[in-house]
PDB file of all heavy atoms in Angstrom:
ATOM      1  N   LEU Z  30       6.210  13.531  12.868  1.00 98.00           N
ATOM      2  CA  LEU Z  30       5.853  14.291  14.060  1.00 98.00           C
ATOM      3  C   LEU Z  30       4.913  15.488  13.682  1.00 98.00           C
ATOM      4  O   LEU Z  30       5.032  16.019  12.579  1.00 98.00           O
ATOM      5  CB  LEU Z  30       7.146  14.913  14.719  1.00 98.00           C
ATOM      6  CG  LEU Z  30       8.174  13.954  15.172  1.00 98.00           C
ATOM      7  CD1 LEU Z  30       9.395  14.651  15.694  1.00 98.00           C
ATOM      8  CD2 LEU Z  30       7.668  12.853  16.220  1.00 98.00           C
ATOM      9  N   CYS Z  43      13.232  18.294  24.909  1.00 97.00           N
ATOM     10  CA  CYS Z  43      13.287  17.345  23.753  1.00 97.00           C
ATOM     11  C   CYS Z  43      14.630  17.290  23.141  1.00 97.00           C
ATOM     12  O   CYS Z  43      15.175  16.254  22.658  1.00 97.00           O
ATOM     13  CB  CYS Z  43      12.246  17.710  22.698  1.00 97.00           C
ATOM     14  SG  CYS Z  43      12.418  19.406  22.091  1.00 97.00           S
ATOM     15  N   ALA Z  46      16.574  15.088  25.570  1.00 97.00           N
ATOM     16  CA  ALA Z  46      16.170  13.759  25.517  1.00 97.00           C
ATOM     17  C   ALA Z  46      16.654  13.032  24.236  1.00 97.00           C
ATOM     18  O   ALA Z  46      17.120  11.904  24.186  1.00 97.00           O
ATOM     19  CB  ALA Z  46      14.666  13.620  25.653  1.00 97.00           C
ATOM     20  N   CYS Z  47      16.591  13.792  23.130  1.00 97.00           N
ATOM     21  CA  CYS Z  47      17.085  13.348  21.818  1.00 97.00           C
ATOM     22  C   CYS Z  47      18.583  13.046  21.901  1.00 97.00           C
ATOM     23  O   CYS Z  47      19.091  11.956  21.529  1.00 97.00           O
ATOM     24  CB  CYS Z  47      16.729  14.389  20.846  1.00 97.00           C
ATOM     25  SG  CYS Z  47      17.413  13.969  19.135  1.00 97.00           S
ATOM     26  N   TRP Z  50      19.241   9.832  24.092  1.00 96.00           N
ATOM     27  CA  TRP Z  50      18.827   8.600  23.585  1.00 96.00           C
ATOM     28  C   TRP Z  50      19.824   8.290  22.423  1.00 96.00           C
ATOM     29  O   TRP Z  50      20.193   7.140  22.288  1.00 96.00           O
ATOM     30  CB  TRP Z  50      17.299   8.637  23.045  1.00 96.00           C
ATOM     31  CG  TRP Z  50      17.021   7.394  22.394  1.00 96.00           C
ATOM     32  CD1 TRP Z  50      17.024   7.063  21.039  1.00 96.00           C
ATOM     33  CD2 TRP Z  50      16.708   6.114  23.134  1.00 96.00           C
ATOM     34  NE1 TRP Z  50      16.611   5.760  20.868  1.00 96.00           N
ATOM     35  CE2 TRP Z  50      16.447   5.141  22.085  1.00 96.00           C
ATOM     36  CE3 TRP Z  50      16.570   5.777  24.508  1.00 96.00           C
ATOM     37  CZ2 TRP Z  50      16.172   3.831  22.393  1.00 96.00           C
ATOM     38  CZ3 TRP Z  50      16.150   4.431  24.718  1.00 96.00           C
ATOM     39  CH2 TRP Z  50      15.880   3.502  23.714  1.00 96.00           C
ATOM     40  N   ASN Z  51      20.077   9.172  21.567  1.00 94.00           N
ATOM     41  CA  ASN Z  51      20.805   8.900  20.415  1.00 94.00           C
ATOM     42  C   ASN Z  51      22.396   8.789  20.696  1.00 94.00           C
ATOM     43  O   ASN Z  51      23.067   8.458  19.825  1.00 94.00           O
ATOM     44  CB  ASN Z  51      20.588   9.920  19.205  1.00 94.00           C
ATOM     45  CG  ASN Z  51      19.127   9.675  18.703  1.00 94.00           C
ATOM     46  OD1 ASN Z  51      18.913   8.605  18.048  1.00 94.00           O
ATOM     47  ND2 ASN Z  51      18.223  10.488  19.085  1.00 94.00           N
ATOM     48  N   LEU Z  74      20.259  16.319  16.933  1.00 96.00           N
ATOM     49  CA  LEU Z  74      19.286  15.998  15.874  1.00 96.00           C
ATOM     50  C   LEU Z  74      18.016  16.760  16.025  1.00 96.00           C
ATOM     51  O   LEU Z  74      17.126  16.628  15.165  1.00 96.00           O
ATOM     52  CB  LEU Z  74      18.950  14.383  15.982  1.00 96.00           C
ATOM     53  CG  LEU Z  74      20.183  13.481  16.108  1.00 96.00           C
ATOM     54  CD1 LEU Z  74      19.687  12.091  16.222  1.00 96.00           C
ATOM     55  CD2 LEU Z  74      21.185  13.722  15.094  1.00 96.00           C
ATOM     56  N   ASN Z  75      18.028  17.630  16.955  1.00 97.00           N
ATOM     57  CA  ASN Z  75      16.775  18.337  17.265  1.00 97.00           C
ATOM     58  C   ASN Z  75      17.196  19.611  17.975  1.00 97.00           C
ATOM     59  O   ASN Z  75      18.036  19.546  18.876  1.00 97.00           O
ATOM     60  CB  ASN Z  75      15.855  17.512  18.129  1.00 97.00           C
ATOM     61  CG  ASN Z  75      14.619  18.181  18.575  1.00 97.00           C
ATOM     62  OD1 ASN Z  75      14.009  18.928  17.811  1.00 97.00           O
ATOM     63  ND2 ASN Z  75      14.257  18.008  19.814  1.00 97.00           N
ATOM     64  N   SER Z  97      13.500  19.282  13.895  1.00 98.00           N
ATOM     65  CA  SER Z  97      14.224  18.124  13.580  1.00 98.00           C
ATOM     66  C   SER Z  97      13.904  17.630  12.174  1.00 98.00           C
ATOM     67  O   SER Z  97      13.158  18.318  11.548  1.00 98.00           O
ATOM     68  CB  SER Z  97      13.862  16.961  14.611  1.00 98.00           C
ATOM     69  OG  SER Z  97      12.496  16.860  14.731  1.00 98.00           O
ATOM     70  N   LYS Z 157      21.360  12.286  11.691  1.00 97.00           N
ATOM     71  CA  LYS Z 157      20.099  13.046  11.586  1.00 97.00           C
ATOM     72  C   LYS Z 157      19.042  12.228  12.418  1.00 97.00           C
ATOM     73  O   LYS Z 157      19.275  11.199  12.926  1.00 97.00           O
ATOM     74  CB  LYS Z 157      19.588  12.988  10.124  1.00 97.00           C
ATOM     75  CG  LYS Z 157      19.280  11.536   9.658  1.00 97.00           C
ATOM     76  CD  LYS Z 157      18.699  11.616   8.155  1.00 97.00           C
ATOM     77  CE  LYS Z 157      17.348  12.272   8.117  1.00 97.00           C
ATOM     78  NZ  LYS Z 157      16.389  11.598   8.967  1.00 97.00           N
ATOM     79  N   CYS Z 158      17.877  12.921  12.673  1.00 97.00           N
ATOM     80  CA  CYS Z 158      16.814  12.337  13.380  1.00 97.00           C
ATOM     81  C   CYS Z 158      16.425  10.907  12.749  1.00 97.00           C
ATOM     82  O   CYS Z 158      16.204  10.790  11.600  1.00 97.00           O
ATOM     83  CB  CYS Z 158      15.631  13.220  13.407  1.00 97.00           C
ATOM     84  SG  CYS Z 158      14.035  12.489  13.709  1.00 97.00           S
ATOM     85  N   THR Z 159      16.385   9.940  13.590  1.00 96.00           N
ATOM     86  CA  THR Z 159      15.916   8.630  13.179  1.00 96.00           C
ATOM     87  C   THR Z 159      14.476   8.308  13.315  1.00 96.00           C
ATOM     88  O   THR Z 159      14.004   7.237  13.205  1.00 96.00           O
ATOM     89  CB  THR Z 159      16.801   7.504  13.805  1.00 96.00           C
ATOM     90  OG1 THR Z 159      16.370   7.559  15.265  1.00 96.00           O
ATOM     91  CG2 THR Z 159      18.292   7.735  13.691  1.00 96.00           C
ATOM     92  N   LEU Z 160      13.769   9.331  13.791  1.00 97.00           N
ATOM     93  CA  LEU Z 160      12.406   9.164  14.346  1.00 97.00           C
ATOM     94  C   LEU Z 160      12.363   8.083  15.528  1.00 97.00           C
ATOM     95  O   LEU Z 160      11.393   7.382  15.673  1.00 97.00           O
ATOM     96  CB  LEU Z 160      11.447   8.751  13.195  1.00 97.00           C
ATOM     97  CG  LEU Z 160       9.875   9.239  13.462  1.00 97.00           C
ATOM     98  CD1 LEU Z 160       9.924  10.769  13.582  1.00 97.00           C
ATOM     99  CD2 LEU Z 160       9.103   8.802  12.308  1.00 97.00           C
ATOM    100  N   CYS Z 161      13.550   7.939  16.122  1.00 96.00           N
ATOM    101  CA  CYS Z 161      13.713   6.929  17.117  1.00 96.00           C
ATOM    102  C   CYS Z 161      13.216   5.612  16.672  1.00 96.00           C
ATOM    103  O   CYS Z 161      12.477   4.900  17.369  1.00 96.00           O
ATOM    104  CB  CYS Z 161      13.011   7.423  18.430  1.00 96.00           C
ATOM    105  SG  CYS Z 161      13.963   8.696  19.271  1.00 96.00           S
ATOM    106  N   PRO Z 177       8.895   8.374  20.077  1.00 97.00           N
ATOM    107  CA  PRO Z 177      10.263   8.998  20.100  1.00 97.00           C
ATOM    108  C   PRO Z 177      10.552   9.578  21.355  1.00 97.00           C
ATOM    109  O   PRO Z 177       9.645  10.014  22.140  1.00 97.00           O
ATOM    110  CB  PRO Z 177      10.005  10.029  18.948  1.00 97.00           C
ATOM    111  CG  PRO Z 177       9.076   9.485  18.065  1.00 97.00           C
ATOM    112  CD  PRO Z 177       8.202   8.676  18.888  1.00 97.00           C
ATOM    113  N   ALA Z 178      11.855   9.638  21.682  1.00 97.00           N
ATOM    114  CA  ALA Z 178      12.241  10.147  23.008  1.00 97.00           C
ATOM    115  C   ALA Z 178      11.812  11.608  23.218  1.00 97.00           C
ATOM    116  O   ALA Z 178      11.418  11.996  24.324  1.00 97.00           O
ATOM    117  CB  ALA Z 178      13.788  10.063  23.129  1.00 97.00           C
ATOM    118  N   CYS Z 179      11.859  12.450  22.127  1.00 97.00           N
ATOM    119  CA  CYS Z 179      11.472  13.792  22.329  1.00 97.00           C
ATOM    120  C   CYS Z 179       9.897  13.945  22.632  1.00 97.00           C
ATOM    121  O   CYS Z 179       9.604  14.799  23.400  1.00 97.00           O
ATOM    122  CB  CYS Z 179      11.794  14.664  21.038  1.00 97.00           C
ATOM    123  SG  CYS Z 179      11.081  13.835  19.538  1.00 97.00           S
ATOM    124  N   VAL Z 180       9.104  13.067  21.975  1.00 98.00           N
ATOM    125  CA  VAL Z 180       7.705  13.125  22.196  1.00 98.00           C
ATOM    126  C   VAL Z 180       7.396  12.676  23.700  1.00 98.00           C
ATOM    127  O   VAL Z 180       6.704  13.261  24.391  1.00 98.00           O
ATOM    128  CB  VAL Z 180       7.011  12.120  21.158  1.00 98.00           C
ATOM    129  CG1 VAL Z 180       5.490  12.070  21.511  1.00 98.00           C
ATOM    130  CG2 VAL Z 180       7.211  12.663  19.747  1.00 98.00           C
ATOM    131  N   ARG Z 188       4.696  17.758  21.074  1.00 98.00           N
ATOM    132  CA  ARG Z 188       5.199  16.934  20.003  1.00 98.00           C
ATOM    133  C   ARG Z 188       4.335  15.754  19.979  1.00 98.00           C
ATOM    134  O   ARG Z 188       4.119  15.000  20.972  1.00 98.00           O
ATOM    135  CB  ARG Z 188       6.653  16.623  20.119  1.00 98.00           C
ATOM    136  CG  ARG Z 188       7.592  17.795  20.200  1.00 98.00           C
ATOM    137  CD  ARG Z 188       9.098  17.317  20.475  1.00 98.00           C
ATOM    138  NE  ARG Z 188       9.695  16.744  19.289  1.00 98.00           N
ATOM    139  CZ  ARG Z 188      10.645  17.367  18.703  1.00 98.00           C
ATOM    140  NH1 ARG Z 188      11.030  18.582  18.960  1.00 98.00           N
ATOM    141  NH2 ARG Z 188      11.159  16.827  17.638  1.00 98.00           N
TER     142      ARG Z 188
HETATM  143  S1  SF4 M 332      12.343  11.414  16.898  1.00 60.93           S
HETATM  144 FE1  SF4 M 332      14.107  10.613  18.223  1.00 60.93          FE
HETATM  145  S2  SF4 M 332      15.841  11.204  16.865  1.00 60.93           S
HETATM  146 FE2  SF4 M 332      14.167  12.394  16.079  1.00 60.93          FE
HETATM  147  S3  SF4 M 332      14.203  14.376  17.139  1.00 60.93           S
HETATM  148 FE3  SF4 M 332      12.876  13.068  18.356  1.00 60.93          FE
HETATM  149  S4  SF4 M 332      14.258  12.143  19.961  1.00 60.93           S
HETATM  150 FE4  SF4 M 332      15.610  13.022  18.202  1.00 60.93          FE
END
Side-chain angles (χ1 to χ4, degrees):
Chain Z
L30 300 177
C43 56
C47 173
W50 178 262
N51 288 289
L74 312 183
N75 175 43
S97 48
K157 69 176 291 302
C158 160
T159 63
L160 208 61
C161 285
C179 54
V180 175
R188 300 175 76 106

